[in-house]
Amino acid sequence: MQLPLGTVLPSLWERAPLQTLLLLSAILLILAQYLKKRRPHLNYPPGPPGLPIVGNFFQMDFKNPKITIQKLTREYGNIYYTYVGGYNFIMVTGLPLIKEVLVNQDNVFIDRPPFPIHFHIFQSHGLIMSNGQEWRQQRRFALMTLRNFGLGKKTLEDRIQEEARYLIEAIREEKGQPFDPHFQINNAVSNIICSITFGHRFDYHDSHFRELLKTLDDTTVLLGSWECQDDIHYSFNEENLVFCTLDLFLAGTETTSTTLRWALLYMALYPEIQGKIQAEIDSVIGQSRQPTMADKEILPYTNAAVHEVQRMGDIIPFNVIRVATVDTKVAGYDVPKGTLLMTNLTALHRDPKEWATPETFNPEHFLENGQFKKRESFLPFSIGKRVCLGEQLARAELFLFFTCLLQKFTFQAPPNTQLSLDFRVGMTVSPASYQICAIPRVM
Ligand code: HEM
Ligand SMILES: *[C@@H]1O[C@H](CO)[C@@H](O)[C@H](O)[C@H]1NC(C)=O
């Protein structure tokens, strides 16, 4: 049970003022020690001058953090250093420097930071937050398992195609009426991870599974609590298997499902582009068979559109946080061990020097003479040794679900409704919930 500090402190004070004073001093000392991180002789990257203890906290404009941050990048360039809430961190912008930290120095910035909770250092398990030997063992095992279960083989593709058929049926049941596609898409996407990790899929009407999907958020809280701590040397045990399964579930469901929800929204907002994709699907595949991964090569416009959804959706704007494991230098500046690293993927995905129309949805960004063109400034899955573990799976899911859906439906705004690109910030940047109509293309 959590008691608010405001009620605990006065009652402690009444009972034992001296002990409480000592306790408070101890807490302050620990805090001061923890925050005393800036070493005067080092050449830190530029950044706003911070205040002791609270750092740049008071310089943040909380009503409009975006503007403050834009000012920081403008004033201090492609790398700035700041400290907020006891953490020193650097924000790195621009492809050359991002490659420097995530690829060239991937052994330096390989770890995830530990976060102190209840003054304990949270011992992290699983895949996303683990480090060192444990992370290496579990990542290798997870990748091997994904491959054994058919990643990059026909079996997994079959599974996604089968799930796409269930998804199409579920959407057909909406009979072209306005509906929020969140639930069906989430269920379809999580079923892919479920069939890999648990060996079976769940029906869209399964109430237990609905409950599970609803409690995913609570799971995030549980994962972050120090009660999950234990002492592991050899990381293969039942508990860690549960952590890793949960991590695959957490990392693999919301991300892919959010991207697909952006995709449907962009289709309804850009009917001409949707029409071009459908024309390509009709001429290459037709209606008599389901799209396969092999079709990706011969559907360049559709493939480009999927990439463009990811570029515009930009669902993980500052990447997943890393930490410097040793003292290092970036762009000539000293970056001490323990500094947190964020990389600005938004800046990359909206760079006016890289993209013809950076703020507008435009599949041409990924096309050259009608052929698909890879772009270096496109890193939604990050890069380097700790790159997204599910990239290949996510790409297969996005392409197949998207193509199968557009083969069968036209997505459009409900009558007299204006759809918007309003977003919500949670684990990912996702579209604000919306209603859409899925008009069947053939009866
Ligand atoms: C559109 C879908 C997805 C996007 C945009 C995405 C993006 C990312 C990003 C940016 C990272 C951080 C990488 C880094 O620190 O450099 C990451 C990590 C991760 N992703 Fe994904 N991801 C997606 C789908 C998936 C799927 C389907 C799975 C499940 C198999 C998955 C599993 C993971 C795991 C386990 C990690 C942690 C890897 C590690 O720390 O070693 N992701 N993802
Ligand atoms: C990331 O880059 C974008 C585009 O340059 C900028 O608007 C934004 O403020 C940057 N974010 C941070 C946190 O530096």
Side-chain angles (χ1 to χ4, degrees):
M1 193 174 73
Q2 295 261 329
L3 283 174
L5 203 63
T7 60
V8 173
L9 267 187
S11 70
L12 272 180
W13 189 263
E14 271 166 28
R15 277 179 226 160
L18 185 64
Q19 281 88 332
T20 308
L21 195 68
L22 282 175
L23 180 74
L24 279 179
S25 323
I27 292 176
L28 275 180
L29 266 178
I30 293 170
L31 258 181
Q33 194 60 28
Y34 187 70
L35 296 169
K36 212 178 66 186
K37 282 205 170 145
R38 220 175 157 102
R39 285 180 263 156
H41 59 283
L42 292 183
N43 173 29
Y44 286 88
L51 301 166
I53 305 212
V54 284
N56 298 112
F57 199 71
F58 290 130
Q59 281 161 290
M60 293 293 266
D61 178 352
F62 284 102
K63 285 214 192 77
N64 204 341
K66 225 177 160 175
I67 290 189
T68 314
I69 286 164
Q70 257 161 9
K71 224 176 95 205
L72 287 181
T73 328
R74 218 179 19 250
E75 274 176 36
Y76 301 107
N78 279 346
I79 174 167
Y80 66 78
Y81 178 94
T82 189
Y83 56 110
V84 177
Y87 294 100
N88 294 324
F89 72 87
I90 51 170
M91 172 66 82
V92 167
T93 308
L95 191 59
L97 267 196
I98 288 182
K99 277 188 170 169
E100 171 64 22
V101 289
L102 296 184
V103 181
N104 299 350
Q105 299 203 34
D106 61 2
N107 281 324
V108 173
F109 293 103
I110 195 75
D111 279 4
R112 304 275 184 222
F115 286 103
I117 293 168
H118 303 246
F119 293 109
H120 288 253
I121 297 299
F122 173 50
Q123 177 98 47
S124 312
H125 300 305
L127 289 160
I128 309 174
M129 294 307 286
S130 62
N131 289 322
Q133 177 74 356
E134 176 171 352
W135 167 72
R136 261 189 304 278
Q137 285 178 348
Q138 293 305 325
R139 186 170 166 114
R140 203 179 305 134
F141 177 70
L143 278 169
M144 193 185 76
T145 309
L146 283 178
R147 263 195 299 274
N148 286 347
F149 277 89
L151 189 63
K153 292 188 207 152
K154 195 71 190 154
T155 36
L156 197 70
E157 186 178 339
D158 287 344
R159 190 64 270 288
I160 302 173
Q161 283 179 316
E162 182 195 8
E163 195 62 48
R165 291 195 291 274
Y166 285 112
L167 180 61
I168 286 165
E169 280 323 302
I171 291 182
R172 212 187 283 284
E173 281 170 22
E174 304 288 344
K175 299 194 163 49
Q177 294 305 305
F179 75 110
D180 182 347
H182 193 145
F183 176 69
Q184 284 100 326
I185 290 183
N186 225 9
N187 208 330
V189 167
S190 49
N191 264 341
I192 303 299
I193 286 288
C194 286
S195 50
I196 296 171
T197 52
F198 309 141
H200 69 104
R201 66 177 293 278
F202 293 89
D203 189 85
Y204 295 177
H205 302 289
D206 188 316
S207 57
H208 286 305
F209 193 55
R210 281 184 186 219
E211 200 61 35
L212 176 68
L213 288 180
K214 267 206 228 108
T215 45
L216 258 186
D217 283 349
D218 302 343
T219 317
T220 327
V221 177
L222 178 76
L223 274 175
S225 79
W226 65 274
E227 283 90 342
C228 295
Q229 190 170 300
D230 73 356
D231 230 311
I232 286 186
H233 302 292
Y234 184 61
S235 63
F236 293 102
N237 53 46
E238 211 172 303
E239 195 192 8
N240 211 15
L241 187 64
V242 174
F243 276 114
C244 290
T245 309
L246 270 175
D247 271 3
L248 286 179
F249 211 84
L250 283 174
T253 302
E254 158 122 8
T255 44
T256 312
S257 140
T258 295
T259 307
L260 284 169
R261 282 187 295 125
W262 278 122
L264 300 191
L265 193 56
Y266 277 111
M267 290 305 99
L269 284 167
Y270 292 85
E272 268 174 41
I273 293 175
Q274 179 171 213
K276 275 174 122 172
I277 297 168
Q278 287 167 331
E280 188 180 63
I281 296 173
D282 289 349
S283 76
V284 173
I285 299 176
Q287 287 290 340
S288 55
R289 71 167 176 91
Q290 227 187 343
T292 69
M293 283 311 284
D295 294 324
K296 199 157 119 173
E297 303 305 314
I298 46 178
L299 293 172
Y301 193 81
T302 308
N303 190 18
V306 174
H307 283 71
E308 181 66 355
V309 166
Q310 286 202 274
R311 183 189 74 84
M312 284 297 284
D314 192 35
I315 65 169
I316 308 178
F318 306 127
N319 211 334
V320 179
I321 212 158
R322 310 273 195 93
V323 64
T325 54
V326 291
D327 290 352
T328 186
K329 275 185 186 293
V330 177
Y333 297 110
D334 287 314
V335 173
K337 173 180 173 172
T339 303
L340 308 191
L341 167 74
M342 302 219 268
T343 39
N344 191 337
L345 298 180
T346 306
L348 207 60
H349 294 155
R350 302 285 170 92
D351 185 349
K353 291 200 277 309
E354 287 293 328
W355 311 97
T357 60
E359 302 296 334
T360 310
F361 185 81
N362 173 11
E364 301 292 334
H365 286 140
F366 292 91
L367 289 166
E368 197 171 58
N369 304 322
Q371 288 308 304
F372 180 78
K373 181 174 135 207
K374 264 196 183 159
R375 300 297 308 267
E376 262 206 304
S377 296
F378 175 74
L379 295 179
F381 299 101
S382 185
I383 194 171
K385 275 210 186 81
R386 213 161 178 165
V387 63
C388 172
L389 186 146
E391 173 169 358
Q392 214 190 335
L393 176 61
R395 284 174 178 279
E397 288 181 35
L398 291 177
F399 179 79
L400 286 175
F401 280 130
F402 181 75
T403 313
C404 291
L405 286 177
L406 287 207
Q407 183 188 36
K408 296 296 176 193
F409 302 102
T410 298
F411 292 90
Q412 59 189 46
N416 309 316
T417 309
Q418 185 76 43
L419 288 174
S420 82
L421 291 173
D422 290 348
F423 58 88
R424 224 172 42 131
V425 181
M427 207 171 91
T428 59
V429 176
S430 59
S433 70
Y434 62 80
Q435 299 257 319
I436 205 166
C437 298
I439 312 297
R441 297 187 61 215
V442 279
M443 293 306 168

